[in-house]
């Protein structure tokens, strides 16, 4: 299954810090982590002693690949390790993602604080990584001891537990912003130019004239204020030329009633013959 927003005609980003899942328990979570990585251009997935092995087979494999939603290339290229030490030995800097203080006197950073430095150092040729622990227990103290710094998330202190893929997603988001910028991927397409003041004022004159005929401005002493309020309401909309034409047409139809159906040519011909 490929999700909405997937466009294989565009160049995909890759690289970034390695995502190291330590003793992951559920195949579906591994798939969801792959999807989160693909969202933000991360491509180095490392698995340390998955509970039921890797690659998965049967229903476990099907669940992981479905959860990846098109990011199956990350699952197929995932590297398998027997220990955390083996998984990180080629990295020059490692973060341990955890929601709890560990008393290990390590620097504690949020992804927003950590990823700009990581982006700069990765661009200079360093290899970084982030450790994520098992879903139920998180990283143990020995895992954290192998890291250079702790990565944690500003969350509700009464409910700090994140789903594994959520943690990867938040890290990936800040990585992408730091490495590639945070410009929005698309903007509103302008289909009609802004309405000129002349066009807008002409519509106002027409609208207020019709409202005046129907006794809208009552009492008359309040007409100036009501008129200003009405004009300000439309001005706040930043009307386009098409907006004004549409509104004008709406008011015309309300004033004049339904359009008359054009007569069919055969019927018109019969009427002309009857009159002659």
């Amino acid at each position: 299954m490929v999700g909405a927003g997937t466009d294989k005609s565009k160049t995909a980003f890759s690289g970034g810090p390695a995502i190291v899942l330590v003793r992951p328990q559920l195949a579906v979570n591994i798939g969801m982590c792959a999807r989160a990585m693909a969202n933000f251009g991360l491509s180095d997935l490392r698995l340390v002693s998955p509970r039921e092995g890797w690659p998965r087979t049967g229903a476990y494999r099907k669940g992981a690949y479905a959860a990846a939603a098109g990011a199956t290339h990350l699952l197929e290229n995932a590297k398998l390790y027997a220990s955390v030490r083996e998984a990180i030995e080629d990295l020059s800097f490692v973060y341990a993602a955890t929601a709890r203080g560990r008393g290990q006197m390590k620097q504690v950073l949020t992804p927003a604080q950590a990823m700009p430095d990581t982006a700069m150092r990765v661009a200079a040729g360093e290899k970084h990584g982030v450790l994520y622990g098992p879903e139920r227990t998180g990283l143990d103290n020995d895992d954290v001891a192998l890291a250079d710094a702790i990565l944690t998330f500003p969350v509700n202190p009464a409910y700090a537990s994140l789903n594994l893929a959520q943690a990867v997603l938040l890290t990936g988001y800040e990585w992408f912003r730091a490495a590639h910028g945070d410009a929005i991927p698309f903007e509103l397409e302008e289909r009609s130019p802004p309405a000129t003041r002349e066009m807008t004022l002409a519509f106002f004159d027409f609208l207020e004239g019709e409202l005046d005929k129907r006794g809208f401005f009552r009492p008359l002493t309040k007409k100036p204020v009501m008129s200003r309020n009405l004009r300000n309401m439309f001005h706040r909309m930043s009307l386009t030329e098409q907006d004004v034409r549409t509104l004008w047409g709406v008011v015309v139809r309300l004033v004049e009633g339904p359009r008359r159906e054009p007569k069919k040519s055969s019927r018109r011909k019969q009427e002309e013959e009857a009159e002659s």
Side-chain angles (χ1 to χ4, degrees):
M1 180 185 72
V2 178
T6 301
D7 188 347
K8 292 187 177 181
S9 68
K10 295 182 179 179
T11 302
F13 289 95
S14 62
I19 300 300
V20 186
L21 306 184
V22 180
R23 300 180 295 280
Q25 298 171 282
L26 302 175
V28 68
N29 279 344
I30 297 174
M32 292 171 68
C33 286
R35 179 178 185 174
M37 291 174 64
N39 284 148
F40 298 109
L42 298 169
S43 55
D44 188 352
L45 175 60
R46 306 183 183 194
L47 307 176
V48 178
S49 300
R51 186 173 67 179
E52 296 176 5
W54 191 266
R56 299 291 172 87
T57 58
Y60 289 117
R61 183 182 187 279
K62 185 177 180 181
Y65 275 62
T72 55
H73 61 289
L74 296 179
L75 298 180
E76 292 166 357
N77 295 324
K79 303 179 186 71
L80 183 64
Y81 299 89
S83 68
V84 175
R85 181 170 178 171
E86 292 176 13
I88 65 174
E89 62 184 7
D90 65 323
L91 304 178
S92 57
F93 196 95
V94 177
Y95 292 102
T98 177
R100 304 188 305 275
R102 302 305 185 102
Q104 297 195 23
M105 301 301 292
K106 294 182 185 290
Q107 186 180 21
V108 180
L109 300 169
T110 66
Q113 294 168 329
M115 289 302 107
D117 181 64
T118 292
M120 181 178 64
R121 293 168 68 173
V122 167
E126 293 186 20
K127 297 182 72 173
H128 286 210
V130 186
L131 302 176
Y132 301 87
E135 293 90 325
R136 188 174 66 86
T137 61
L139 296 169
D140 63 31
N141 286 334
D142 289 336
D143 298 326
V144 176
L146 294 172
D148 298 279
I150 288 176
L151 195 70
T152 196
F153 305 90
V155 294
N156 179 358
Y159 195 77
S161 176
L162 289 175
N163 172 273
L164 185 58
Q166 290 174 334
V168 173
L169 186 79
L170 290 173
T171 305
Y173 172 74
E174 295 297 347
W175 155 258
F176 195 88
R177 290 184 65 212
H180 306 295
D182 57 1
I184 56 177
F186 59 88
E187 296 181 357
L188 176 66
E189 183 179 351
E190 188 177 283
R191 296 184 178 274
S192 176
T196 63
R197 192 59 49 185
E198 178 184 17
M199 186 179 190
T200 305
L201 292 176
F203 167 67
F204 288 160
D205 291 340
F206 167 71
L207 175 62
E208 290 174 5
E210 296 300 330
L211 290 174
D212 213 5
K213 292 176 186 177
R214 285 153 184 80
F216 176 78
F217 298 108
R218 292 291 184 274
L220 288 177
T221 55
K222 290 188 176 181
K223 180 179 178 180
V225 174
M226 295 173 71
S227 178
R228 283 196 298 271
N229 289 341
L230 188 64
R231 290 177 181 242
N232 284 332
M233 181 177 69
F234 282 105
H235 280 313
R236 287 193 294 270
M237 296 181 188
S238 300
L239 297 170
T240 66
E241 290 182 358
Q242 183 58 55
D243 292 335
V244 174
R245 285 193 290 267
T246 300
L247 287 170
W248 203 311
V250 168
V251 177
V252 167
R253 289 278 64 80
L254 289 174
V255 171
E256 298 182 358
R259 287 191 180 95
R260 294 183 179 180
E261 291 294 329
K263 296 179 180 179
K264 294 182 180 180
S265 57
S266 58
R267 182 180 174 183
R268 187 161 55 246
K269 185 177 181 181
Q270 292 175 356
E271 290 178 353
E272 290 173 354
E273 289 175 352
E275 291 173 357
S276 59

